[in-house]
């Protein structure tokens, strides 16, 4: 089974560059305090690193 991570949006996209807003939408996050369970892949990790000031990793599952 693939590893997954639970990501929560903690920052607002207001007054952020358009590419950061698009990254949030790409992760399936668009409202404050929304959480998503995503597959732990290098591309997802890269997206999280790009907007690390607006999201936090709550949990990592095996």
């Amino acid at each position: 089974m693939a590893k997954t991570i639970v990501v929560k949006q903690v920052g607002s996209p207001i007054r952020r560059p358009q590419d950061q807003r698009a990254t949030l939408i790409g992760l399936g996050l668009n409202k404050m305090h929304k959480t998503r369970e995503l597959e732990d892949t290098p591309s997802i990790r890269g997206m999280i690193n790009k907007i690390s000031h607006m999201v936090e990793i709550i949990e990592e599952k095996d």
Side-chain angles (χ1 to χ4, degrees):
M1 183 163 181
K3 290 177 142 184
T4 60
I5 53 176
V6 178
V7 181
K8 179 179 181 181
Q9 181 179 345
V10 294
S12 174
I14 296 173
R15 298 187 65 171
R16 301 287 181 191
Q18 185 61 36
D19 62 329
Q20 291 180 5
R21 291 182 189 193
T23 303
L24 270 178
I25 292 169
L27 289 172
L29 303 170
N30 59 354
K31 295 186 179 182
M32 292 291 293
H33 309 293
K34 188 172 182 181
T35 60
R36 286 289 311 257
E37 186 172 341
L38 303 166
E39 189 175 349
D40 191 7
T41 62
S43 61
I44 296 294
R45 287 287 183 164
M47 292 170 79
I48 291 170
N49 286 338
K50 183 175 181 178
I51 56 169
S52 61
H53 55 284
M54 287 193 280
V55 297
E56 68 180 15
I57 297 175
I58 296 175
E59 152 180 31
E60 298 183 24
K61 300 178 183 178
D62 283 334

